[in-house]
Amino acid sequence: MSIERGDVEKIAYLARIQITDAQLDKVTEDLSRILSLVDQMQEVSTEGVEPMSNPLDMVQRLRADQVTEENQRERFQAIAPATEAGLYLVPKVIE
Amino acid sequence: MEWEAVIGLEIHTQLSTKSKIFSGSSTAFGAEPNTQACAVDLAMPGMLPVLNEEAVRMAVMFGLAIEAEIGKRSVFDRKNYFYPDLPKGYQTSQFEFPIVGRGHVEIQLEDGTNKQIGVTRAHLEEDAGKSLHEDFHGMTGIDLNRAGTPLLEIVSEPDMRSAKEAVAYLRKIHSIVTYLGICDGNMAEGSMRCDCNVSVRPKGQKEFGTRTEIKNVNSFRFVERAINSEIQRQIEILEDGGRVIQETRLYDADKNETRSMRSKEFANDYRYFPCPDLLPVVIGDDYIEAIRQSLPELPEQKRQRFSEQYGLSDYDASVLSASRAMADYFERVAEVAGDAKLAANWVMVELSRLLNQNNLEIEQSPIPAEHLGQLIQRIRDNTISGKIAKQVFEDMWNGEGSPDHIIETKGLKQVTDTGAIEAVVDEIIAKNPAQVEQYRAADEDRRKKLIGFFVGQTMKASQGKANPQQVNEVLKKKLEG
Amino acid sequence: MHTKTAAEISQDLQAGKYTSVEITQVFLQRIKQIDSSLNSYITVSEEQALEQAKAADARRAAGNAGPLTGVPFAHKDIFCTDGIRTTCASRMLENFVPPYNSTVAQKLLDAGAVCLGKTNMDEFAMGSSNETSYFGAVKNPWELSRVSGGSSGGSAAAVAARLTPFATGTDTGGSIRQPAAFCGLTGLKPTYGRVSRLGVVAFASSLDQAGPMARTAEDAALMLQAMAGFDPKDSTCAERDVPDYLAALNQPLDGLRIGLPKEYFGADLDPAMADLIQAAIKELEALGAQVQEISLPNTALSVPAYYVIAPAEASANLSRFDGVRYGYRCENPTNLDDLYMRTRAEGFGDEVKRRILIGTYALSAGYYDAYYRKAQQIRRLIRDDFVKALESVDVILSPTTPGTAFNLNAMSADPVSMYLADLFTIPVNLAGLPAISMPAGLIDGLPAGLQLVGNYFEEARLLNIAHQFQQRTQWHTLAPQGVPV
Ligand SMILES: [Mg+2]
Ligand SMILES: [Zn+2]
């Protein structure tokens, strides 16, 4: 499968990474090379093979429903780029 | 042309756990912004989720309550999108393998018939934070206290055909989750939020029309109005020869119309994949059975019991079992009163009237169930008449205390002393010779009508306290001489 | 003093030959003198290190010192350290000071080990040469024109150059073993789930695993003992006891069954590497091991599958870096998308962006089945190959890497050629097995590593074999030539 400039623009937006027009060709080429490596997977049949997301056959452990965390807003917001009145600030969200 | 609406609902239900679904932060409502957002909720680097056992238990309770298949191996996935109220850049949700599979509920329609609505699935996921749009120098403020609150998203089949059916279904889900105690049902605080999928088609056509999704409607009334206005909008488009666009819309309650939310629609591709920080949730038959044994009586079972045990009509039984709070209130009144039918009447007529007038829920009733029960007792033991009871009831509503206290301090006790009643009757007869003459001249049938005048006068003279039955008997005897 | 191993320092401290403050000062001084030529540290936390050393000496005086109390070490800059900057070698986290410790950092702190600072790495652990670091490449102490390997290249260079006795690393596709091989060290990637991932900045969650990087197997055992164990805050962390790794070091190797995967010893393997491995096998045979050929038929699919799975997980893991709650934020964003897109374009380097984009593509509508699902299926085939092979042998032996450390800038123009060089290490992460790399000789004056893959949770066995090998060989004692040691 080959990837084109338009695909790259689309995924760059999905990933929220700005790519300038000047960078687009180079990025498209790099990604194409990686995809041709990855495409070697298509040579083998995996019919009926259960996909594996985790190497261990473990199951999810459950936590007791207890409040264990205390308010640490001051510490967390001390490292935030922009806050006011205890809120994180971002450019205006339009709905 | 005659049109038919096709409606499906996605209901987001906040589960009433103490802590969040994947962290130990509190879920209490109304805290100062970001004081209940820990490192996990804030998606600080390296932070990891651990699943809350109570969220799983509550989801299974719901699944059993709607007779659904329980997912014995459910999987959490990441739903990827960027939004400032979503700290990780993905929502941890369930996609391919939800914890609750196909189930169903019954709704009661206005014409007295029942209809089954299919539930496609219900899955566990985390809530997002909140964006505050007041102006911070042209910026939006983000509060992440709500981020990570457990949600059960309940997805229905497109089985509803009117806004009324949709509301009846929403009410049924509301009553199930509150009965189970897994959600406080507080729609005003966002504990239940509803996405409505709406389409219309010519009546008789099999294929669905193009649907739109109205996001985040948060009251029963708005669900009905939003769906009706959207149905109307779609019909108008179609009748003008246009086409409905598949899109997400927002309901504007002030204007009573829905509007397009194109900003959210643009280039959505959620790229779901299994969350590698969480493992499959595997539950066994023993676990499921233990939860089944612990289930409380559900609305449907309660409705049946009410009509059988108390001899109530289907309608009365379903109204009184609609919410757990209502059912509990009614049963307490009935128990104290010793008469379920009278209790049902008082709750459904007098109490409901005042609650509606004052926009209150049964939980907020100023009259405790015990007091209403005692009031009915006083009617039954002839301490007061039904008419006086209504006056006492008003006083109870206004916070004047128990019925016995009101009857006592206001001297409303019914007069049952025959001597005292005879004295009043003698006085009335003496005052109204013409009417007495008329009565005595009348035939049996006419007398039955004429006696009403004397009863009225006597009751008035006794300030309503005389026992009406005794008054009748004494009058008959004296008038007939 | 700086040439001593951690085990030796531990004994000396116990014997009162010197204090923790003294040995800590020796290393801090050495870092100041030498590291400008290597660039192995991003942050040296001198003040905190001396405080910790003082506390360690006090603890020893109070009579409750453990084996690591007072022993200096360094953290790969991917482990969050409370109050100490944690950058992940990215501009995105250039000024990020976490208000919490990773579990590994906390465990080492509790053990009384003294953290000298945070070592350089490939940005977000994405790379095999330590050239993707925002803070510049790390040079190989054996030959300064060569790479130290990656992504834990700073830890490897620092340990090799005796700028710390040992260091932590993380390994997603070989990031402990490959730099260990390139710098002549012993590095262990534990079984997935053996060491907590909490507070370790995530690259690919189902592959990442933290482990020790040291000069000897004994030091690695000492360090793993402190790092390993159940963490209730990591759902993927195994709930099992940690064995006594040191006690297992001296078991004899009689009857040890070693498997040689024929797919790893193809005709294209560098003859010098093949000879070196054969020589190492002879040593192991002399220790009582028996060697047999095995097959891991799906080996060739490992790298392609890895370059779907790791980027896919990374694409989601790195979405949290959005300029809202911490880390880099672009200047004067005009709207929300501008905030996201410029913050991430400016905050991430090229390799990180490439992998996020590949991962996004592999998960996107229409490609999920062909890429992501397919890779997950292949992952199972690869794991099943290992599980089957480990029914007939105890460990699987191979070179750690096809060659020795390559020249700086040699591969950076072509990412794919660098990806392919990880073909011996990547399958192990896909299977989640433990593996160790140990020094097995020199090729043209540069160290080469031998990899042993064990069965799940058999780290003790791997450390035992490496230790026995190191009792017979001197490779692990050789000092690099590029810096004064
Ligand atoms: Mg939904
Ligand atoms: Zn949802």
Side-chain angles (χ1 to χ4, degrees):
Chain A
M1 275 172 256
S2 72
I3 189 166
E4 280 158 27
R5 284 173 61 115
D7 300 322
V8 175
E9 283 177 309
K10 196 190 127 210
I11 57 172
Y13 180 69
L14 280 178
R16 295 298 189 279
I17 293 174
Q18 186 175 66
I19 293 177
T20 62
D21 281 349
Q23 295 165 327
L24 195 56
D25 280 332
K26 167 84 168 79
V27 173
T28 306
E29 194 199 311
D30 286 347
L31 297 186
S32 298
R33 282 159 83 172
I34 299 171
L35 286 174
S36 58
L37 164 74
V38 160
D39 276 334
Q40 291 172 22
M41 289 193 309
Q42 310 308 333
E43 287 160 21
V44 60
S45 162
T46 50
E47 222 185 279
V49 179
E50 177 77 10
M52 186 175 104
S53 338
N54 206 286
L56 302 178
D57 294 318
M58 295 198 310
V59 299
Q60 181 60 38
R61 221 172 341 99
L62 301 177
R63 198 190 91 234
D65 180 26
Q66 280 162 2
V67 177
T68 54
E69 300 296 324
E70 287 168 7
N71 173 24
Q72 290 194 71
R73 187 174 77 181
E74 299 309 309
R75 290 194 79 198
F76 291 134
Q77 296 203 339
I79 53 171
T83 58
E84 192 174 311
L87 299 162
Y88 292 96
L89 294 191
V90 296
K92 195 138 206 87
V93 174
I94 309 144
E95 289 217 315
Chain B
M1 189 183 302
E2 219 188 316
W3 298 93
E4 178 181 62
V6 176
I7 302 157
L9 299 186
E10 290 168 25
I11 305 170
H12 281 96
T13 312
Q14 278 186 355
L15 298 177
S16 26
T17 55
K18 293 190 208 68
S19 64
K20 292 188 178 174
I21 184 166
F22 299 124
S23 83
S25 292
S26 169
T27 54
F29 182 80
E32 282 286 297
N34 292 308
T35 55
Q36 288 173 181
C38 70
V40 173
D41 310 323
L42 294 171
M44 300 296 273
M47 287 300 117
L48 296 171
V50 186
L51 182 58
N52 186 334
E53 65 179 2
E54 197 61 7
V56 173
R57 199 182 65 86
M58 288 176 168
V60 172
M61 283 175 81
F62 177 77
L64 293 173
I66 63 161
E67 293 170 350
E69 301 156 23
I70 303 300
K72 292 187 182 168
R73 183 179 177 283
S74 63
V75 173
F76 281 96
D77 297 274
R78 294 180 177 181
K79 178 184 182 181
N80 295 283
Y81 64 95
F82 283 87
Y83 208 67
D85 64 14
L86 188 72
K88 294 191 296 287
Y90 57 82
Q91 180 194 30
T92 307
S93 181
Q94 297 185 314
F95 186 58
E96 211 183 331
F97 303 102
I99 187 146
V100 176
R102 190 168 289 270
H104 57 88
V105 299
E106 292 260 298
I107 59 170
Q108 280 74 47
L109 302 180
E110 276 179 330
D111 64 5
T113 61
N114 288 357
K115 179 172 177 177
Q116 184 165 304
I117 306 293
V119 172
T120 317
R121 56 183 285 159
H123 60 260
L124 282 168
E125 60 184 23
E126 58 185 337
D127 209 342
K130 277 183 186 161
S131 304
L132 289 114
H133 300 288
E134 305 103 77
D135 203 38
F136 296 97
H137 340 286
M139 309 276 270
T140 292
I142 306 294
D143 173 10
L144 296 170
N145 280 350
R146 200 181 66 179
T149 298
L151 295 176
L152 186 66
E153 180 176 340
I154 303 158
V155 182
S156 84
E157 291 287 301
D159 285 349
M160 290 150 277
R161 296 290 173 267
S162 70
K164 281 221 162 14
E165 286 186 22
V167 171
Y169 166 75
L170 178 59
R171 281 195 187 279
K172 179 58 88 176
I173 296 293
H174 184 272
S175 90
I176 291 171
V177 297
T178 50
Y179 261 74
L180 293 171
I182 62 173
C183 174
D184 66 20
N186 189 332
M187 295 189 74
E189 286 179 4
S191 302
M192 268 181 97
R193 310 190 295 271
C194 188
D195 300 342
C196 317
N197 291 299
V198 180
S199 65
V200 298
R201 63 182 171 191
K203 199 154 194 163
Q205 180 182 302
K206 269 202 167 158
E207 305 82 58
F208 293 147
T210 305
R211 68 186 168 90
T212 60
E213 183 177 14
I214 316 167
K215 278 273 176 207
N216 272 339
V217 193
N218 64 356
S219 81
F220 294 116
R221 197 156 52 101
F222 287 169
V223 166
E224 184 166 350
R225 293 173 61 185
I227 292 174
N228 276 329
S229 78
E230 181 58 17
I231 291 172
Q232 212 43 53
R233 189 188 71 88
Q234 292 188 13
I235 290 174
E236 276 164 29
I237 291 173
L238 295 170
E239 288 189 339
D240 289 348
R243 285 175 56 185
V244 174
I245 306 163
Q246 186 170 342
E247 62 179 354
T248 305
R249 300 182 69 85
L250 210 61
Y251 177 64
D252 183 334
D254 295 334
K255 294 184 184 154
N256 189 28
E257 62 183 30
T258 65
R259 65 178 160 83
S260 177
M261 255 177 97
R262 282 203 191 85
S263 56
K264 268 212 167 174
E265 202 65 7
F266 182 58
N268 267 349
D269 179 348
Y270 292 126
R271 291 159 283 137
Y272 281 100
F273 75 103
C275 178
D277 287 330
L278 291 161
L279 299 164
V281 181
V282 175
I283 51 181
D285 290 331
D286 291 357
Y287 177 85
I288 295 169
E289 265 327 295
I291 292 178
R292 197 195 301 278
Q293 294 311 316
S294 75
L295 285 185
E297 188 182 33
L298 289 161
E300 203 50 41
Q301 298 160 338
K302 198 158 278 197
R303 189 174 69 90
Q304 275 179 24
R305 180 168 64 81
F306 279 9
S307 70
E308 281 160 23
Q309 181 180 340
Y310 300 124
L312 301 180
S313 72
D314 262 6
Y315 178 77
D316 289 5
S318 77
V319 170
L320 291 170
S321 60
S323 84
R324 189 163 161 181
M326 176 62 95
D328 289 350
Y329 190 97
F330 157 70
E331 287 210 274
R332 184 75 186 125
V333 175
E335 190 189 348
V336 175
D339 186 324
K341 280 193 176 162
L342 269 179
N345 242 313
W346 275 87
V347 172
M348 288 177 60
V349 181
E350 298 302 326
L351 184 65
S352 292
R353 179 176 55 82
L354 288 181
L355 289 173
N356 283 340
Q357 268 172 26
N358 294 281
N359 247 323
L360 295 175
E361 297 295 324
I362 188 78
E363 296 92 320
Q364 301 160 298
S365 167
I367 302 178
E370 285 71 21
H371 286 179
L372 185 52
Q374 284 160 15
L375 181 69
I376 295 167
Q377 244 183 25
R378 293 297 160 263
I379 301 169
R380 293 185 62 220
D381 66 13
N382 285 329
T383 307
I384 53 171
S385 66
K387 197 166 173 200
I388 292 287
K390 287 186 184 167
Q391 187 189 325
V392 175
F393 180 78
E394 294 280 342
D395 293 342
M396 283 158 62
W397 180 272
N398 293 322
E400 293 181 30
S402 73
D404 286 344
H405 174 79
I406 295 167
I407 291 166
E408 183 66 38
T409 52
K410 297 204 168 173
L412 299 175
K413 208 167 163 148
Q414 190 159 253
V415 178
T416 49
D417 170 353
T418 313
I421 292 174
E422 279 181 344
V424 179
V425 167
D426 286 342
E427 200 182 313
I428 297 297
I429 288 176
K431 267 191 194 166
N432 298 288
Q435 279 85 348
V436 175
E437 199 64 24
Q438 212 181 345
Y439 180 91
R440 289 190 172 144
D443 64 14
E444 194 66 20
D445 271 2
R446 194 151 159 69
R447 279 183 176 186
K448 274 185 186 158
K449 285 178 188 160
L450 289 169
I451 199 165
F453 165 78
F454 295 100
V455 174
Q457 291 294 311
T458 311
M459 291 306 288
K460 198 172 166 189
S462 75
Q463 290 161 318
K465 286 184 284 185
N467 180 311
Q469 217 179 326
Q470 279 176 296
V471 169
N472 245 305
E473 278 162 21
V474 172
L475 270 168
K476 265 187 198 158
K477 198 174 72 196
K478 299 239 172 194
L479 284 169
E480 271 150 41
Chain C
M1 263 156 87
H2 65 271
T3 58
K4 289 180 186 272
T5 65
E8 288 162 354
I9 293 170
S10 176
Q11 281 159 18
D12 290 352
L13 288 170
Q14 207 166 335
K17 289 191 182 165
Y18 43 81
T19 65
S20 175
V21 170
E22 283 163 348
I23 187 79
T24 300
Q25 273 164 339
V26 166
F27 282 105
L28 288 170
Q29 195 54 37
R30 209 174 140 71
I31 294 167
K32 271 182 204 163
Q33 281 166 359
I34 291 175
D35 199 42
S36 57
S37 60
L38 293 174
N39 198 26
S40 68
Y41 280 84
I42 290 174
T43 303
V44 180
S45 46
E46 180 167 354
E47 210 177 295
Q48 290 97 328
L50 289 170
E51 268 170 36
Q52 287 171 12
K54 239 180 259 168
D57 287 331
R59 181 168 159 181
R60 185 170 301 281
N64 47 27
L68 284 187
T69 304
V71 182
F73 78 103
H75 266 308
K76 183 178 184 179
D77 206 15
I78 198 170
F79 293 88
C80 286
T81 41
D82 194 346
I84 300 171
R85 182 171 75 134
T86 302
T87 70
C88 239
S90 180
R91 184 184 190 193
M92 190 61 89
L93 294 176
E94 187 176 2
N95 300 306
F96 177 66
V97 180
Y100 50 86
N101 272 321
S102 53
T103 297
V104 166
Q106 190 61 49
K107 278 175 171 274
L108 286 164
L109 197 65
D110 293 345
V114 174
C115 177
L116 299 166
K118 310 293 291 287
T119 61
N120 206 340
M121 55 185 281
D122 279 296
E123 185 181 6
F124 284 104
M126 297 180 190
S128 311
S129 66
N130 215 122
E131 293 171 294
T132 70
S133 169
Y134 177 65
F135 299 90
V138 175
K139 282 149 199 136
N140 192 314
W142 288 79
E143 215 175 289
L144 297 180
S145 59
R146 293 185 182 261
V147 302
S148 61
S151 64
S152 311
S155 285
V159 177
R162 279 61 169 165
L163 303 185
T164 175
F166 52 12
T168 56
T170 61
D171 190 318
T172 305
S175 284
I176 287 176
R177 291 159 288 157
Q178 184 254 28
F182 281 8
C183 292
L185 304 179
T186 306
L188 175 74
K189 180 202 94 73
T191 307
Y192 183 81
R194 177 74 286 183
V195 176
S196 168
R197 293 187 297 112
L198 185 83
V200 183
V201 183
F203 162 15
S205 310
S206 77
L207 300 162
D208 295 345
Q209 189 60 200
M213 299 180 78
R215 298 212 317 268
T216 65
E218 185 185 17
D219 279 7
L222 203 55
M223 190 160 200
L224 182 63
Q225 199 75 53
M227 293 172 76
F230 175 60
D231 181 357
K233 290 185 164 184
D234 174 358
S235 297
T236 62
C237 195
E239 207 165 350
R240 341 165 128 229
D241 293 338
V242 180
D244 186 338
Y245 296 120
L246 283 170
L249 290 178
N250 290 312
Q251 296 197 352
L253 301 189
D254 295 317
L256 176 75
R257 297 168 304 166
I258 296 178
L260 304 179
K262 62 179 183 204
E263 293 79 8
Y264 288 43
F265 291 90
D268 49 349
L269 182 65
D270 174 10
M273 183 66 80
D275 289 350
L276 182 141
I277 297 297
Q278 282 311 320
I281 290 169
K282 290 273 171 327
E283 300 290 349
L284 289 165
E285 280 173 337
L287 283 160
Q290 298 152 13
V291 174
Q292 66 186 82
E293 188 183 85
I294 56 156
S295 175
L296 300 169
N298 292 290
T299 296
L301 296 169
S302 301
V303 177
Y306 176 87
Y307 276 95
V308 170
I309 293 168
E313 291 183 11
S315 73
N317 281 335
L318 271 63
S319 290
R320 66 188 59 201
F321 303 105
D322 59 3
V324 176
R325 297 164 313 285
Y326 50 79
Y328 179 76
R329 178 181 201 147
C330 70
E331 275 188 35
N332 304 317
T334 55
N335 58 47
L336 198 55
D337 274 345
D338 186 46
L339 167 72
Y340 289 146
M341 298 191 73
R342 276 201 294 129
T343 294
R344 293 165 60 78
E346 295 162 15
F348 292 138
D350 287 344
E351 181 63 20
V352 171
K353 286 190 261 193
R354 261 199 293 279
R355 296 204 194 184
I356 291 175
L357 292 174
I358 280 291
T360 303
Y361 186 69
L363 291 171
S364 66
Y367 299 102
Y368 182 90
D369 284 354
Y371 288 127
Y372 189 74
R373 194 182 148 84
K374 182 89 180 176
Q376 299 281 58
Q377 290 173 312
I378 289 174
R379 185 172 188 182
R380 181 174 297 277
L381 296 179
I382 288 164
R383 186 196 64 171
D384 289 352
D385 284 354
F386 275 106
V387 168
K388 185 155 174 272
L390 287 166
E391 281 167 8
S392 56
V393 297
D394 300 311
V395 292
I396 295 166
L397 184 152
S398 73
T400 307
T401 55
T404 54
F406 45 88
N407 283 318
L408 287 157
N409 301 318
M411 298 234 230
S412 46
D414 177 13
V416 171
S417 64
M418 195 161 0
Y419 298 172
L420 286 167
D422 290 336
L423 77 167
F424 299 144
T425 50
I426 278 176
V428 182
N429 296 77
L430 291 172
L433 291 163
I436 197 166
S437 175
M438 58 182 182
L442 299 179
I443 297 175
D444 297 333
L446 289 169
L450 177 152
Q451 172 176 262
L452 293 167
V453 183
N455 217 327
Y456 293 103
F457 298 100
E458 291 191 352
E459 289 80 8
R461 190 65 166 150
L462 297 178
L463 290 163
N464 166 221
I465 300 166
H467 183 69
Q468 292 305 308
F469 183 80
Q470 289 173 353
Q471 301 308 295
R472 267 186 82 87
T473 57
Q474 299 303 310
W475 306 118
H476 63 288
T477 64
L478 301 181
Q481 308 299 308
V483 289
V485 172

